[in-house]
Each structure stands twice: as structure tokens, then as C-alpha cells.
Amino acid sequence: MLSFARKGNYQNVDVDIRMLVDKCAELFLPGTQSGITFRIIDDGRKYIVRGDAIQLQQTLLNLMINAKDAMQSNPDSEEQILTIRIGEPHAMGIELDPPPEVKLDSRRKLCAIRVEDTGIGIDEAGLAKLFKPFSQVDASISRKYGGTGLGLSIAKEIIESHGGSIVIESEYGKFTRVTINLPTANVN
């Protein structure tokens, strides 16, 4: 995650979201433990965003690793499932307005990338401090799996620098959903 701090080296290229997710899965899957079911669900459209492919990849990988760690911390879960969903936010039940500087039309829409896990979940107190630098929801997870508490604060900064937003929903003991919303260059 610390490579996010590379200011001034920002790429501005077309990024195919499905290809980005597939690349993250390719990097992520060899490091997962057996017993985790991994799936990608998309709506069949091709979403292209304009931005820094490396930063977006590292952000998504960080969210996937957080999900894996949360599932490994919840041994009581009947199934350990990590799902990545790609689609329009309203189709996922997400109602939001884009930032004022982002103008949407019939070709330029918002794309949602949702990372869902059946891990330990996050309580209300934990949700309140998620995006604060150097904060950890559960220090025991940090000791066991590593981490500084910077990942989500940096992820939020990166997504916002791409004109997007990041939203976290969770129910303690059951699930966590992290949704990245990004404006597209176009949708096919």
C-alpha cells in the first residue's frame, strides 16, 4: 500500500475495469487459503475509467486482502465467500449522486466495483474510524496479518482523486461490503 504515496507519477490511461479485476484475481488467488470461494460477477458491460491503473489495482488488491484476513478471522462462518461485483451502482441498490465536477450522460456513467466477504464484519465503532490513518478495527488482526492502518485511508484518497467514492457497509459477525464508485470514460 505504501506505493500509493507516489505523488507526481500519476498515469492517466484508459482502464478496463473487468481486466483490472481479472488481473487482481490472478495476483490474489495464489495467496489465498483453501476453503475460500472466490467469484466475479459482472453485468456484461465493458466499463472504462480514466486514471492510474497501478493505483486502482493496488486499491482493489488491498480490499481483497482485507476481505481474506476478515474471513480467516471468522472461523465460525459456514462458508467463506469473496465476491467481486461490477456494474452500475443503482443496479446494486446503491443510490448516490456523483461529485459536482463529474458530468454524467448516456455514455458516461458510474461504475461500481463491490468487494463482498463473509468475514467477521465490522461493528459501528469500527466503521466510524475506518478511513482514519493508522487506525485498525481489531488490533489482533493487525498483529496476526500485519498492516499499519493506512490502507483504507490511502484507498479513499486514491478513489476520490479519480472522481469517485468508496462506501463500506457491514454487519458484525456476518459480512462486509466495500463499494468503489468511479465515473467511466464510457460504457459499452
Side-chain angles (χ1 to χ4, degrees):
M1 286 300 294
L2 294 178
S3 61
F4 280 144
R6 56 184 191 115
K7 302 257 190 238
N9 261 348
Y10 183 85
Q11 296 178 14
N12 193 21
V13 298
D14 285 348
V15 180
D16 181 313
I17 294 299
R18 178 58 197 243
M19 289 176 62
L20 174 80
V21 169
D22 288 343
K23 177 66 174 173
C24 288
E26 180 183 311
L27 294 169
F28 173 78
L29 286 174
T32 62
Q33 72 177 33
S34 61
I36 293 179
T37 301
F38 180 80
R39 56 189 183 187
I40 300 171
I41 301 170
D42 71 30
D43 66 5
R45 293 184 177 160
K46 183 172 183 155
Y47 294 93
I48 305 292
V49 300
R50 193 96 180 127
D52 191 309
I54 294 170
Q55 288 184 351
L56 293 172
Q57 178 180 306
Q58 290 177 326
T59 299
L60 184 55
L61 271 172
N62 177 261
L63 297 177
M64 294 165 71
I65 291 166
N66 287 351
K68 176 184 67 105
D69 293 347
M71 287 187 290
Q72 290 174 339
S73 298
N74 190 11
D76 298 332
S77 177
E78 290 181 26
E79 285 187 279
Q80 294 189 334
I81 303 170
L82 174 57
T83 305
I84 310 294
R85 295 182 189 276
I86 306 166
E88 289 189 42
H90 71 271
M92 292 185 201
I94 303 165
E95 298 301 325
L96 60 108
D97 294 319
E101 66 274 10
V102 175
K103 303 296 182 216
L104 302 178
D105 58 33
S106 62
R107 290 192 39 81
R108 189 163 192 232
K109 301 187 180 305
L110 286 177
C111 173
I113 308 164
R114 177 177 277 172
V115 178
E116 302 176 21
D117 69 66
T118 57
I120 192 123
I122 306 165
D123 62 20
E124 291 292 324
L127 284 170
K129 63 182 182 178
L130 275 181
F131 293 113
K132 294 182 180 154
F134 302 107
S135 69
Q136 296 278 341
V137 172
D138 183 341
S140 67
I141 292 174
S142 174
R143 283 190 298 275
K144 186 171 183 178
Y145 300 107
T148 61
L150 285 172
L152 287 175
S153 64
I154 294 171
K156 183 175 191 267
E157 183 179 313
I158 287 169
I159 296 305
E160 288 176 350
S161 76
H162 284 77
S165 63
I166 184 168
V167 178
I168 299 180
E169 307 164 82
S170 189
E171 186 174 333
Y172 186 73
K174 295 193 177 187
F175 71 89
T176 300
R177 283 186 209 117
V178 182
T179 307
I180 296 170
N181 298 292
L182 292 168
T184 63
N186 62 38
V187 177
N188 294 319

